[in-house]
Amino acid sequence: MAGDPWSDAENDATVAAYFALRADGDLVKSAVYRDVARQISRSAKAVEFKFQNVSSVLDTIGMDWVGGLPPRHNIQLSLADAVGRYLAQFSEVPLHQPTGGMAEAGGFFIAPAPHRRNAPPSVEDAKRLEVSIRLGMADRDAANRALGQAGEAAVVAHERAALTDRGRPDLAARVEWTARDQGDGAGYDVRSFEVDGRDRLIEVKTTNGWERTPFHITRNELAVAEDNRDTWHLVRLWNFRRGVRAYALRPPLEAHVALTATDFRADLH
């Protein structure tokens, strides 16, 4: 059976055992491996490797993995499906509250966007992207209003702190949480300022997942970005719950991301 693809039943049993181990730190890993191996007629070492694959899935979607089982990214996507089934059944989803106070205080650095310099993606990146897409991370993040609002609040705090630190408390006091106070139709979430008083219009996209997790962007946001190239910024917050990190994208967005149409408007003739 070694080398054969794992069945859904095998994957489900493995994922359930992994989460049991994750929930109970008193369990002995080697004993858990042997118990699962007996259930599914695989070797204990194969189960251990598969547990590390589960760690990879959890790391990709922003959940804590079991210590001592570092992620191995050479996974079969059927295992990601099994993790998705487990989370759907037991309603365990990544929380939006960060583990520390850094996000609420705005204490993070907005880095330049990651680039590949025309190189093909690594095997690890390709697998993590497949997992993100397979588990619908862009849809999950877009539907998680609490996560989105927490990200916007973090950026508001960041902008106010940055302006105050740079000697412009007057501008810091004028930073506006546009999406909360005026609705989400403006094409940006936060109105901030450069030190010289010029506008900074910031669209915030937040995920608990890794830095290349796909995200949704609306036609209106794209239009506003195009019309305000000098002032519009997209700030991507990632790894939000476990230790927020951030980077910024500037128009034209097509220079940084591949845009895929996901819906169409249907007007009757």
Side-chain angles (χ1 to χ4, degrees), residues 1-7 10 40-42:
M1 205 167 187
D4 293 338
W6 287 43
S7 68
E10 290 173 314
I40 65 175
S41 300
R42 297 275 181 175

Side-chain angles (χ1 to χ4, degrees), residues 1 6 10 13-14 17 29-48 51:
M1 205 167 187
W6 287 43
E10 290 173 314
T14 302
K29 293 187 183 70
S30 58
V32 175
Y33 305 154
R34 290 194 298 270
D35 182 57
V36 176
R38 284 193 295 270
Q39 291 180 47
I40 65 175
S41 300
R42 297 275 181 175
S43 71
K45 180 56 70 173
V47 172
E48 180 182 358
F51 271 30

Side-chain angles (χ1 to χ4, degrees), residues 4 20 32 51 57 75 136 151 153 159 180 185 201 214 216 224:
D4 293 338
V32 175
F51 271 30
V57 176
I75 73 170
E159 292 296 306
R180 182 193 66 182
L201 307 179
H216 287 308
V224 172

Side-chain angles (χ1 to χ4, degrees), residues 118-260:
N118 297 320
S122 66
V123 173
E124 175 180 329
D125 280 356
K127 283 293 185 181
R128 284 159 72 90
L129 180 58
E130 288 178 340
V131 169
S132 297
I133 294 172
R134 190 77 164 223
L135 293 182
M137 287 298 293
D139 292 339
R140 290 170 183 253
D141 290 339
N144 190 340
R145 293 187 61 83
L147 175 65
Q149 290 172 352
E152 291 167 12
V155 170
V156 169
H158 173 274
E159 292 296 306
R160 288 174 176 164
L163 286 166
T164 300
D165 289 347
R166 298 177 72 183
R168 294 304 305 266
D170 57 323
L171 293 178
R174 293 172 53 199
V175 172
E176 171 188 276
W177 189 347
T178 309
R180 182 193 66 182
D181 298 337
Q182 299 182 25
D184 58 4
Y188 57 89
D189 298 311
V190 177
R191 180 173 179 251
S192 185
F193 304 93
E194 306 291 352
V195 173
D196 61 7
R198 289 178 295 125
D199 278 345
R200 276 171 55 84
L201 307 179
I202 304 172
E203 176 63 30
V204 184
K205 302 294 183 183
T206 306
T207 186
N208 286 320
W210 69 307
E211 65 179 342
R212 294 185 181 275
T213 302
F215 57 87
H216 287 308
I217 187 164
T218 68
R219 293 181 187 275
N220 181 53
E221 289 161 357
L222 288 173
V224 172
E226 185 63 26
D227 291 343
N228 297 273
R229 285 195 173 195
D230 294 335
T231 57
W232 194 92
H233 306 249
L234 189 150
V235 172
R236 179 58 159 160
L237 303 181
W238 59 282
N239 202 49
F240 187 77
R241 187 180 67 85
R242 295 182 296 176
V244 61
R245 301 181 68 179
Y247 60 84
L249 303 176
R250 297 295 308 278
L253 290 182
E254 291 86 344
H256 307 282
V257 300
L259 296 172
T260 303

Side-chain angles (χ1 to χ4, degrees), residues 21-121:
L21 179 62
R22 183 173 176 268
D24 187 350
D26 292 333
L27 293 176
V28 178
K29 293 187 183 70
S30 58
V32 175
Y33 305 154
R34 290 194 298 270
D35 182 57
V36 176
R38 284 193 295 270
Q39 291 180 47
I40 65 175
S41 300
R42 297 275 181 175
S43 71
K45 180 56 70 173
V47 172
E48 180 182 358
F49 285 161
K50 192 65 72 168
F51 271 30
Q52 289 183 261
N53 292 153
V54 177
S55 291
S56 172
V57 176
L58 297 191
D59 186 54
T60 296
I61 66 176
M63 296 181 68
D64 298 330
W65 40 271
V66 175
L69 288 170
R72 291 171 59 95
H73 301 290
N74 57 328
I75 73 170
Q76 297 171 347
L77 289 180
S78 59
L79 180 67
D81 293 338
V83 173
R85 286 192 295 272
Y86 182 94
L87 296 178
Q89 181 178 358
F90 294 101
S91 300
E92 181 175 348
V93 296
L95 303 176
H96 70 272
Q97 295 89 352
T99 53
M102 183 170 63
E104 296 96 324
F108 53 84
F109 172 69
I110 299 179
H115 291 288
R116 288 205 178 100
R117 303 287 185 186
N118 297 320

